[in-house]
Amino acid sequence: MINTVLCALDISQENDAHVLKTANKIAKLEGARLDIVTVVPNFSISLVSSYFDDNFQKQAVQDAKVALKKRVADILGDDHVADLRHIVASGSIYEEILETALQDDADLIVIGAHKPDLREMLIGPNAARVVRHSTCSVYVVREN
């Protein structure tokens, strides 16, 4: 039984509407709660932080929250925004998705996958890492 579906969205990508629509469809079919997570890079790492002011990270998270709610409203409609939990995490994408799934007690993670470039084939894309390390089922949505 699926009680909680966690949908991972990359708000910097414009072509992920099908990921959210798929997660929403699964949640409705299962009568499950749908939570949506996006991850912003952590700019407070010591080496990188010297290039950004103290409020940059906080502002990036705030901007991501606004952008995430707008993206959900644009894809699913304004009436869905209030019913869903919008989560903005900061750090490594796959690690934060996995941590959110654990904290959320998610039964299913829905994540998008795109055609990898050479760099990702050598390192491994985030979707592959989530699939490999998740303690719950993962539904990978391919590009149309």
Side-chain angles (χ1 to χ4, degrees):
M1 182 171 181
I2 297 174
N3 295 312
T4 304
V5 175
L6 178 65
C7 179
L9 288 183
D10 181 354
I11 57 172
S12 68
Q13 299 292 318
E14 292 294 324
N15 60 347
D16 62 354
H18 60 291
V19 176
L20 181 54
K21 287 178 182 178
T22 300
N24 187 50
K25 183 177 180 179
I26 292 169
K28 281 185 175 181
L29 286 171
E30 293 290 328
R33 183 181 79 209
L34 176 59
D35 293 342
I36 302 151
V37 64
T38 194
V39 181
V40 295
N42 188 349
F43 296 103
S44 62
I45 300 170
S46 62
L47 181 63
V48 177
S49 64
S50 63
Y51 295 100
F52 301 99
D53 66 25
D54 294 336
N55 292 323
F56 187 83
Q57 185 70 34
K58 290 178 187 173
Q59 189 61 50
V61 170
Q62 284 301 107
D63 292 348
K65 285 180 184 178
V66 171
L68 181 60
K69 287 184 179 184
K70 181 178 181 339
R71 175 72 57 84
V72 171
D74 289 348
I75 296 169
L76 298 180
D78 288 327
D79 54 327
H80 281 77
V81 174
D83 298 336
L84 307 175
R85 209 169 83 157
H86 301 79
I87 304 161
V88 177
S90 181
S92 164
I93 294 170
Y94 81 94
E95 288 176 350
E96 292 301 324
I97 292 169
L98 292 171
E99 182 62 30
T100 301
L102 283 175
Q103 290 178 3
D104 209 25
D105 200 23
D107 301 298
L108 178 67
I109 299 170
V110 178
I111 190 168
H114 59 279
K115 295 177 184 169
D117 60 19
L118 181 59
R119 180 182 59 85
E120 289 175 327
M121 286 186 178
L122 296 174
I123 296 172
N126 288 305
R129 290 179 177 164
V130 169
V131 169
R132 190 170 34 243
H133 298 290
S134 178
T135 57
C136 67
S137 296
V138 180
Y139 189 106
V140 179
V141 180
R142 298 276 177 201
E143 282 184 347
N144 292 341

